[in-house]
Amino acid sequence: SNGILGRLAGELLADAIFMFHFNSSGDTARGAKRRMEGNSVPGPRAGQPRPLAALASAKHLMIAETWIRAATPDSIHPKRRNAKLDFGFSEEQEMLRDAAKRFLADNCPTKFVRQMMADATAHDAGFWKKLVDLGWPGLLIPENYGGQGGSFLDMTVVAEEAGKALVPGPFFTSALIGAPLLIEGGSDAQKKEFLPKMAAGEFIGTLALAEASGRFDADGIQLKASKSGSDYIISGEKFFVPDAHVANGMCVAVRTGGSGEKGITLLLV
């Protein structure tokens, strides 16, 4: 399941960064780019921006806006008339991909994956240390906390290769879920204490989100947490917590207030 999660994570990250579609004209990114370079994107009349078909998803709005600006007449954006956008990976990212591919071919063959599938924890300390030596658990962690300071696009490269190799263990959970949650939602004290440990592979973090309702929206979080001095008392259940059996800590989504998103608190347990 971790390998499937990794491959999906890589594909979703790549999709969010690269892909956009047009729902009425059937255009693709390549077709839109070809028309942009040929200055043949149709418009209502001279001097006005030339409209593109409606986007299939709002997540592509920023990318599409760049295309629209680049495709408008030179009277509006003269410097963008012959603009070309590069949606490929950088040379460094391709080097990262090649290094990841070679490492996994040598250290994560099918035989090893099957052994881990039969293992009670699916977590091998020796293999985990090799990932730590490569800096993968701390790839998204800022350098001032001991991480690599990489981008999500860098992680996309690693996650795709790790997914192809069906990498076992808590890499995807800790590096792609635990670390970003702590970076975005943790206090300064929590970041200083735990992020260096996560980058060093000494602390594995996960997320406790799912509940019996099976819902993943805000109202699906019903686990109660009440204040008790400087602590919280949690009452209820969470389901399907990835790698909980090997995690050192988990981010638990609980309800401390009313309905909706404002009533949700993330607790580090």
Side-chain angles (χ1 to χ4, degrees):
S1 62
N2 269 336
I4 296 173
L5 174 63
R7 190 157 189 173
L8 286 175
E11 291 175 354
L12 288 172
L13 282 170
D15 175 72
I17 296 170
F18 290 116
M19 298 302 294
F20 62 93
H21 304 276
F22 302 105
N23 61 8
S24 62
S25 64
D27 285 348
T28 63
R30 182 180 299 174
K33 183 178 181 181
R34 183 170 59 248
R35 274 186 300 280
M36 183 195 75
E37 293 173 344
N39 197 29
S40 61
V41 178
R45 60 180 180 272
Q48 290 189 346
R50 297 164 180 171
L52 298 177
L55 288 175
S57 172
K59 69 182 179 182
H60 306 125
L61 180 58
M62 293 182 66
I63 295 176
E65 183 179 356
T66 303
W67 282 102
I68 292 173
R69 289 176 178 175
T72 52
D74 56 341
S75 60
I76 299 178
H77 297 293
K79 294 183 180 180
R80 296 193 177 108
R81 180 176 181 181
N82 297 318
K84 295 182 180 180
L85 300 180
D86 183 7
F87 288 97
F89 291 102
S90 68
E91 182 179 352
E92 291 79 8
Q93 288 161 348
E94 291 295 353
M95 292 173 62
L96 177 62
R97 180 189 300 279
D98 291 340
K101 188 178 298 184
R102 290 194 303 270
F103 167 80
L104 294 171
D106 293 337
N107 296 276
C108 190
T110 302
K111 181 180 180 181
F112 173 72
V113 174
R114 289 175 175 170
Q115 289 175 346
M116 289 296 96
M117 289 175 64
D119 187 83
T121 65
H123 177 46
D124 181 83
F127 181 69
W128 178 249
K129 185 179 183 306
K130 292 178 181 179
L131 297 184
V132 172
D133 291 341
L134 290 174
W136 289 8
L139 186 58
L140 295 178
I141 296 176
E143 293 182 17
N144 58 311
Y145 292 113
Q148 301 298 312
S151 67
F152 267 98
L153 189 52
D154 298 328
M155 180 59 81
T156 297
V157 173
V158 173
E160 283 185 331
E161 296 305 319
K164 292 176 185 177
L166 302 177
V167 167
F171 164 66
F172 298 111
T173 300
S174 190
L176 270 169
I177 299 177
L181 279 171
L182 188 55
I183 291 170
E184 294 298 326
S187 65
D188 289 339
Q190 289 171 336
K191 293 176 184 179
K192 291 178 182 178
E193 181 178 358
F194 294 109
L195 285 178
K197 294 180 180 179
M198 295 186 79
E202 300 169 358
F203 186 92
I204 296 172
T206 187
L207 171 66
L209 178 66
E211 298 188 12
S213 66
R215 295 175 57 178
F216 288 90
D217 59 350
D219 289 329
I221 306 299
Q222 295 299 322
L223 179 67
K224 302 292 185 182
S226 56
K227 189 81 170 178
S228 177
S230 60
D231 300 321
Y232 282 88
I233 298 176
I234 300 175
S235 177
E237 293 179 315
K238 288 290 185 180
F239 294 83
F240 312 116
V241 181
D243 295 302
H245 58 298
V246 296
N248 302 107
M250 59 184 69
C251 177
V252 184
V254 299
R255 187 158 295 282
T256 55
S259 62
E261 296 180 2
K262 294 184 178 180
I264 296 175
T265 300
L266 298 179
L267 298 179
L268 181 59
V269 178

